[in-house]
Amino acid sequence: MPEKTIMLACSAGMSTSLLVTKMQAAAREQGLDAKIYAVSVSEVPQQLEKEVIDIILLGPQVRYAEKQVAQQIGERDVKLDVINMSDYGLMNGGNVLAAALEKLNN
């Protein structure tokens, strides 16, 4: 079982796939055992039912769904954050991973 499970959610789950790859590489470099994957924001409720998720990162383009996703999380111990637009645009997996880990530790 991975130490951390990080789920990214965007419009269709496609635009974050490159970012996931870069985040996975950054995690490997740090020796972090992490499951990092992407889904569409519409799949969040199903994922919450079948997966133990530590943090959900929303793509900047679905920032509008933050309140809805927070309601879907409910009482679960799952953190929620929106990916920094600059890091998303540059596909900076290291920075996005660092921000996620910081959020998890606070």
Side-chain angles (χ1 to χ4, degrees), residues 6-61:
I6 301 170
M7 184 175 77
L8 283 67
C10 68
S11 298
M14 302 297 277
S15 59
T16 51
S17 61
L18 178 58
L19 184 57
V20 164
T21 301
K22 292 187 174 225
M23 289 176 70
Q24 290 168 335
R28 276 192 302 277
E29 286 174 13
Q30 296 176 30
L32 176 67
D33 181 18
K35 178 178 181 180
I36 305 169
Y37 67 104
V39 298
S40 72
V41 75
S42 65
E43 294 177 70
V44 169
Q46 298 91 321
Q47 291 297 314
L48 285 166
E49 290 300 319
K50 71 178 196 176
E51 185 91 51
V52 176
I53 300 165
D54 294 297
I55 187 167
I56 298 172
L57 301 175
L58 297 177
Q61 73 276 34

Side-chain angles (χ1 to χ4, degrees), residues 69-90:
V69 173
Q71 290 173 342
Q72 292 166 347
I73 290 170
E75 298 298 315
R76 294 177 183 89
D77 185 22
V78 178
K79 303 277 186 172
L80 175 64
D81 204 6
V82 177
I83 299 169
N84 175 283
M85 191 175 295
S86 175
D87 289 334
Y88 188 87
L90 295 171

